[in-house]
């Protein structure tokens, strides 16, 4: 029994302990429940905060995307309109020089960009600063170019070509800046240059023409009709003088040579010197005026600057057109655009011609006056034709140098020389005609002809013919050979009149054969141009006459 009691006591203790444990667990669960409910409240609060943070993060991200969208345009705007301090200092504080070339181009691009962004307040605000810099730059560039022109006026010995190519052309971007941003200043610079160059060339050519005039007065060679010429004909054509008909040949006469009173040159050499000096100066000036003063309406971009060394830039205009208009991705040019381009090119050429003429008007007048003095008194026909051929060669060269205004002037000189040549040839023909007619009147007999006179006229004809052939490359040229044909016909009449004075038939035929033989020798002996078609025809003509005279001699001798 006692054992049962101890067992019950133990179980009671166990139940009490179990009850205590249960109570402890309940308390723990209650604490855990309280903690969990607090944690749930805190978690809800944290979740709300996370949601709020996520919303704020999305808002920030959207704002970032929006700002990224305007970053490039804003950066481009700032880059386009902002004037770097270094650029402003260069324009305001430094003198115009080589660093200005690139800076002014960049500054002008900013000016144009600012005009296109005028709706932006920042662009309008900085536009006032840009306008001030534009005015300062235009003023400094104006003074710079006016200073460049001063050495040209100081002395005519100044090489204007060197100044143009090595100095003025280098700063052309500054002038094109003025053309677009300050047209009035650009026009003032243009007028200043035209006045300077006009004075330079006018002074130089006036002195040079005067020096050539002194040399010309020492030449006593004047035109004499061959029928009444008192001078004996030269033995052969002077090929050295015929060389003055070409650009390539003897050196030109320099101004200082006129100071030597013993210095004498033929009239065609003096004429050639003047034309060659004119050709070089006129073509060089035209190229400069066309290049420097060409209108530039668009601002060069950086792409255009870098394109100067591109493969396409070194092609000829024809090659570039063929590439751009090819079937491999090129664009075809419409007839309307071609017409517009041709019209613009024509207007540009007219403007260039007008500028060139403003510069060279006094020079053209000096040359025209000099040519007038050359043909009065009239020189011999061979120098005349030599000068005509020279004008043709000079005109071709100037045309190759793309100077149309000067080509027109040279052709005008050529047209002025042709009538003088034609009249001189007519005088030759008339003089031989009168000599053949004997100048007989109603109550007087014709004067007797001598063999010496006839041979002199024949030799003059041979010299004229050989010289004209040497100066004529074409097989047919009516103006030249029609005059020679007329002269030959009168020469035949002269020979017939002379031989008709001989009563003996054999002596008459012998005289004719002798004269024809002398003409044949003159046409063939030492003639470098005997292969010319006209020379061959002339030799055949006189050979037939000579053979006919020989047949007459044989016929008369057989009858006797």
């Amino acid at each position: 029994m006692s054992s049962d009691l101890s067992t019950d006591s133990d179980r009671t203790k166990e139940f009490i302990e179990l009850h205590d444990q249960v109570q402890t667990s309940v308390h723990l669960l209650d604490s855990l429940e309280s903690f969990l409910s607090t944690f749930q409240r805190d978690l809800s609060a944290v979740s709300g905060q996370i949601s709020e943070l996520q919303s704020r993060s999305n808002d920030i991200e959207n704002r970032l995307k929006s700002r990224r969208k305007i970053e490039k345009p804003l950066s481009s705007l700032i880059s386009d309109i902002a004037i770097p301090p270094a650029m402003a200092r260069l324009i305001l504080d430094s003198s115009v020089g080589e660093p200005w070339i690139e800076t002014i181009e960049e500054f002008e691009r900013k000016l144009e960009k600012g005009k296109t962004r005028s709706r932006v307040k920042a662009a309008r605000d900085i536009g006032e600063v840009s306008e001030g810099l534009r005015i300062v730059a235009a003023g400094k560039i104006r003074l710079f170019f006016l200073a460049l022109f001063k050495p040209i006026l100081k002395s005519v010995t100044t090489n204007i070509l060197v100044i143009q190519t090595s100095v003025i052309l280098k700063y052309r971007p500054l002038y094109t800046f003025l053309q677009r941003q300050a047209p009035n200043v650009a026009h003032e610079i243009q007028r200043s240059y035209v006045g300077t160059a006009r004075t330079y060339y006018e002074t130089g050519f006036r002195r040079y023409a005067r020096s050539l005039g002194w040399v010309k007065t020492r030449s006593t060679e004047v035109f004499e009709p061959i029928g009444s010429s008192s001078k004996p004909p030269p033995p052969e054509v002077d090929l050295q003088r015929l060389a003055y008909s070409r650009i390539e040949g003897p050196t030109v006469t320099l101004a200082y040579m006129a100071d030597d009173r013993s210095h004498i040159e033929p009239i065609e050499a003096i004429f050639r010197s003047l034309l060659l000096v004119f050709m070089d100066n006129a073509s060089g000036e035209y190229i400069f005026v066309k290049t420097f003063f060409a209108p530039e309406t668009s601002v060069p971009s950086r792409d255009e600057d870098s394109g100067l060394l591109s493969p396409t830039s070194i092609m000829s205009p024809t090659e570039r057109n063929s590439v751009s208009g090819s079937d491999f991705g090129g664009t075809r040019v419409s007839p309307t655009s071609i017409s517009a381009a041709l019209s613009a090119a024509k207007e540009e050429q007219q403007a260039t011609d007008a500028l060139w003429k403003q510069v060279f008007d006094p020079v053209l007048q000096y040359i025209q006056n000099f040519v007038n003095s050359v043909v009065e008194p009239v020189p011999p026909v061979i120098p005349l034709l030599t000068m005509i051929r020279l004008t043709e060669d000079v005109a071709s060269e100037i045309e190759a140098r793309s100077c149309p205004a000067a080509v027109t002037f040279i052709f005008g000189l050529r047209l002025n020389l042709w009538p003088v040549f034609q009249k001189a040839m007519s005088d030759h023909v008339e003089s031989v005609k009168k000599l053949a007619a004997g100048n007989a009147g109603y109550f007087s007999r014709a004067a007797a002809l001598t063999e010496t006179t006839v041979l002199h006229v024949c030799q003059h004809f041979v010299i004229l013919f050989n010289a004209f052939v040497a100066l004529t490359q074409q097989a047919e040229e009516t103006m030249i050979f029609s005059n020679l044909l007329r002269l030959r016909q009168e020469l035949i009449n002269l020979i017939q009149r002379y031989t008709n004075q001989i009563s003996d038939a054999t002596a008459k035929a012998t005289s004719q054969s002798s004269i024809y033989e002398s003409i044949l020798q003159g046409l063939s002996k030492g003639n470098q141009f005997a292969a010319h078609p006209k020379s061959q025809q002339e030799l055949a003509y006189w050979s037939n006459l000579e053979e006919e005279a020989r047949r007459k001699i044989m016929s008369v001798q057989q009858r006797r």
Side-chain angles (χ1 to χ4, degrees):
M1 179 129 179
S2 59
S3 60
D4 291 335
L5 288 173
S6 62
T7 303
D8 290 336
S9 176
D10 293 336
R11 289 181 176 176
T12 301
K13 290 180 180 178
E14 291 176 357
F15 283 132
I16 291 172
E17 290 177 357
L18 180 62
H19 179 267
D20 291 338
Q21 291 177 356
V22 168
Q23 288 295 325
T24 302
S25 297
V26 169
H27 287 303
L28 288 173
L29 289 174
D30 289 339
S31 298
L32 181 61
E33 181 183 8
S34 175
F35 174 76
L36 288 175
S37 62
T38 302
F39 180 74
Q40 187 176 8
R41 287 194 300 272
D42 293 342
L43 186 62
S44 297
V46 170
S47 176
Q49 291 177 355
I50 291 174
S51 178
E52 182 181 357
L53 289 174
Q54 188 175 7
S55 176
R56 290 177 61 188
S57 174
N58 291 336
D59 181 55
I60 291 172
E61 185 176 359
N62 290 334
R63 289 167 63 186
L64 179 61
K65 289 180 179 179
S66 299
R67 292 192 178 184
R68 282 177 177 174
K69 286 182 180 180
I70 67 170
E71 179 183 4
K72 284 188 177 180
L74 184 60
S75 175
S76 176
L77 173 65
I78 295 174
S79 175
D80 288 342
I81 67 174
I83 306 295
M87 179 182 292
R89 284 195 297 269
L90 180 72
I91 295 174
L92 293 173
D93 300 336
S94 69
S95 300
V96 178
E98 291 187 24
W100 274 58
I101 298 174
E102 185 177 350
T103 301
I104 284 296
E105 290 180 349
E106 182 64 24
F107 174 62
E108 187 175 12
R109 283 191 283 266
K110 292 183 179 295
L111 280 177
E112 294 300 318
K113 291 291 185 180
K115 293 176 183 177
T116 60
R117 305 291 184 91
S118 58
R119 290 181 297 176
V120 181
K121 184 178 182 302
R124 293 196 300 271
D125 291 342
I126 204 170
E128 298 179 0
V129 177
S130 300
E131 179 64 15
L133 291 175
R134 182 193 69 84
I135 295 173
V136 172
K140 285 191 173 184
I141 294 173
R142 169 186 171 274
L143 295 176
F144 174 74
F145 276 113
L146 295 181
L148 286 184
F149 300 155
K150 286 183 178 179
I152 300 175
L153 283 178
K154 287 184 178 179
S155 174
V156 293
T157 58
T158 302
N159 192 329
I160 190 172
L161 182 61
V162 173
I163 295 178
Q164 290 172 344
T165 55
S166 63
V167 181
I168 300 178
L169 280 177
K170 180 172 64 176
Y171 292 100
R172 184 173 182 270
L174 302 184
Y175 178 76
T176 57
F177 167 80
L178 296 179
Q179 282 184 316
R180 292 182 291 263
Q181 305 299 333
N184 292 335
V185 178
H187 186 62
E188 180 187 355
I189 291 174
Q190 184 185 90
R191 285 188 288 106
S192 175
Y193 173 80
V194 168
T196 300
R198 181 186 176 99
T199 303
Y200 173 84
Y201 286 115
E202 189 272 338
T203 304
F205 270 87
R206 184 184 70 246
R207 295 178 181 178
Y208 187 59
R210 182 175 59 197
S211 298
L212 293 181
W214 291 340
V215 178
K216 184 177 73 70
T217 57
R218 299 167 192 158
S219 175
T220 58
E221 195 176 30
V222 294
F223 171 78
E224 286 185 351
I226 61 177
S228 58
S229 176
S230 58
K231 296 180 180 179
E236 58 185 9
V237 176
D238 189 348
L239 296 178
Q240 290 184 348
R241 292 188 62 172
L242 297 186
Y244 293 119
S245 65
R246 308 291 299 174
I247 293 176
E248 298 295 334
T251 57
V252 300
T253 304
L254 302 179
Y256 77 88
M257 295 179 180
D259 297 335
D260 182 3
R261 296 188 178 184
S262 62
H263 184 75
I264 300 176
E265 290 194 14
I267 189 65
E268 61 269 34
I270 301 171
F271 179 79
R272 175 176 175 270
S273 296
L274 185 64
L275 282 199
L276 293 191
V277 172
F278 168 76
M279 177 186 71
D280 290 338
N281 284 275
S283 57
E285 184 63 26
Y286 191 91
I287 292 172
F288 171 77
V289 169
K290 182 179 181 179
T291 304
F292 188 79
F293 294 108
E296 295 283 350
T297 56
S298 59
V299 180
S301 63
R302 291 188 181 91
D303 295 337
E304 291 176 354
D305 294 339
S306 61
L308 291 175
L309 298 179
S310 66
T312 311
S313 67
I314 60 176
M315 294 181 180
S316 66
T318 306
E319 292 171 329
R320 286 197 293 269
N321 292 339
S322 63
V323 171
S324 62
S326 66
D327 296 332
F328 301 96
T331 56
R332 293 289 182 181
V333 182
S334 66
T336 305
S337 62
I338 293 177
S339 176
L342 291 175
S343 177
K346 184 177 180 181
E347 291 179 0
E348 182 177 344
Q349 179 180 324
Q350 290 175 347
T352 303
D353 289 351
L355 274 178
W356 182 86
K357 287 179 180 178
Q358 290 179 37
V359 174
F360 265 80
D361 263 343
V363 175
L364 301 183
Q365 190 59 51
Y366 284 129
I367 295 177
Q368 186 64 63
N369 293 341
F370 187 85
V371 173
N372 293 340
S373 70
V374 165
V375 297
E376 185 59 43
V378 179
V381 290
I382 295 178
L384 261 178
L385 185 57
T386 302
M387 290 187 285
I388 290 173
R389 294 304 188 219
L390 176 64
T391 60
E392 296 170 355
D393 200 28
V394 169
S396 299
E397 178 62 24
I398 294 178
E399 188 173 11
R401 298 184 186 185
S402 301
C403 183
V407 173
T408 303
F409 173 73
I410 294 297
F411 272 123
L413 295 182
R414 177 173 174 266
L415 292 177
N416 291 337
L417 291 174
W418 270 121
V420 180
F421 173 80
Q422 181 63 32
K423 184 178 182 306
M425 287 302 298
S426 297
D427 290 344
H428 276 318
V429 174
E430 288 299 321
S431 68
V432 177
K433 184 177 181 180
K434 290 180 180 179
L435 189 61
N439 295 324
Y442 289 107
F443 304 102
S444 62
R445 297 178 59 186
L449 278 175
T450 63
E451 184 180 10
T452 303
T453 302
V454 175
L455 290 177
H456 277 188
V457 174
C458 291
Q459 181 64 18
H460 277 299
F461 171 79
V462 168
I463 295 298
L464 286 181
F465 186 89
N466 288 338
F468 286 7
V469 168
L471 292 170
T472 306
Q473 296 180 351
Q474 300 177 4
E476 292 290 340
E477 188 165 347
T478 305
M479 183 71 76
I480 299 298
F481 295 109
S482 62
N483 284 305
L484 287 174
L485 186 61
R486 292 167 54 210
L487 186 58
R488 185 181 71 184
Q489 185 57 48
E490 297 302 331
L491 180 60
I492 293 295
N493 295 336
L494 178 66
I495 295 173
Q496 289 177 351
R497 184 200 163 210
Y498 166 70
T499 55
N500 287 339
Q501 297 176 156
I502 304 174
S503 58
D504 183 69
T506 303
K508 177 180 179 180
T510 303
S511 179
Q512 289 178 345
S513 175
S514 175
I515 294 173
Y516 297 151
E517 181 65 28
S518 68
I519 293 175
L520 282 171
Q521 288 181 0
L523 291 174
S524 58
K525 184 179 179 180
N527 186 4
Q528 300 180 8
F529 306 93
H532 193 281
K534 285 298 180 181
S535 290
Q536 293 296 315
Q537 294 174 15
E538 196 69 15
L539 285 169
Y541 177 82
W542 292 103
S543 294
N544 291 335
L545 291 180
E546 199 272 336
E547 290 176 2
E548 183 179 351
R550 286 183 179 275
R551 285 196 296 269
K552 288 181 181 179
I553 295 173
M554 295 176 62
S555 175
V556 171
Q557 290 177 349
Q558 289 175 358
R559 286 199 301 266
R560 290 181 179 179

